[in-house]
Amino acid sequence: MQHQKAFSESKRTRFEVLTRAGAETAPHPTDQHVGRQIAIIRVQSDVSQAQLARSIGISFQQLQKYENARNRVSASMLYEIGRSLDVPVRRFFEGLPGNETSREASPLPVDERIDFIASAEGRRLIEGLMHLPPRVRGRMAAVIAALGEELAEPDSYRDTKATEPMPANRKSI
């Protein structure tokens, strides 16, 4: 009997160990991976959260919770998401440690944009932009792109521009 008890304890999953350790609020790493994959595939397919949510019959807030692993995705919902994005369900598990297959699977691209879009800051920015009229939204995108280009310039170029004298007809701020 004691051997059987020791054997069953050694077969505990990482999730069970975390739960017993008091970390039951932490999402399971598999749920996090699947949520990230949903977001990556959705963005690569050029589908918004609202569009995907509508196509599978849930709110976009629920989809956000799936993507951020706040809620687990059921098998039937994962099937519907895969169907809507035109990918097989196994695609959401690719790259998951311990889920290697015999054939060579290409590693998934790591895209910082996905992490930003999934962050609270990214969602606030996108939500704010969506409240703007399309013309203003386009101008804001141009301003943001210009700022990004300006910051990407080599420091020496920026330093020389900053030391150039200002034209007489312009006031400094």
Side-chain angles (χ1 to χ4, degrees), residues 10-133:
S10 69
K11 292 185 75 173
R12 279 192 200 141
T13 66
R14 182 171 181 255
F15 182 70
E16 289 170 326
V17 171
L18 287 174
T19 302
R20 286 184 176 235
E24 58 271 334
T25 58
H28 191 278
T30 302
D31 296 325
Q32 290 174 325
H33 180 84
V34 169
R36 271 194 305 271
Q37 294 309 306
I38 292 170
I40 288 169
I41 295 165
R42 178 182 57 74
V43 170
Q44 287 174 342
S45 301
D46 199 25
V47 175
S48 72
Q49 283 182 329
Q51 290 169 323
L52 178 57
R54 210 174 14 259
S55 75
I56 59 176
I58 62 172
S59 68
F60 82 92
Q61 293 93 340
Q62 181 61 46
L63 182 61
Q64 282 179 342
K65 290 177 182 180
Y66 289 157
E67 290 183 355
N68 293 314
R70 285 196 204 101
N71 287 3
R72 288 185 175 174
V73 186
S74 68
S76 59
M77 189 53 63
L78 200 55
Y79 172 79
E80 291 299 325
I81 293 169
R83 230 177 74 178
S84 183
L85 294 173
D86 198 29
V87 296
V89 172
R90 72 175 180 273
R91 173 65 174 81
F92 299 109
F93 296 94
E94 286 180 3
L96 187 64
N99 192 35
E100 294 82 19
T101 58
S102 58
R103 64 183 173 98
E104 289 292 317
S106 60
L108 298 171
V110 177
D111 193 340
E112 292 177 25
R113 294 174 294 181
I114 302 298
D115 290 335
F116 177 74
I117 290 168
S119 72
E121 180 184 15
R123 287 191 309 274
R124 276 195 317 273
L125 176 63
I126 291 169
E127 187 175 315
L129 287 171
M130 293 309 296
H131 289 290
L132 298 174

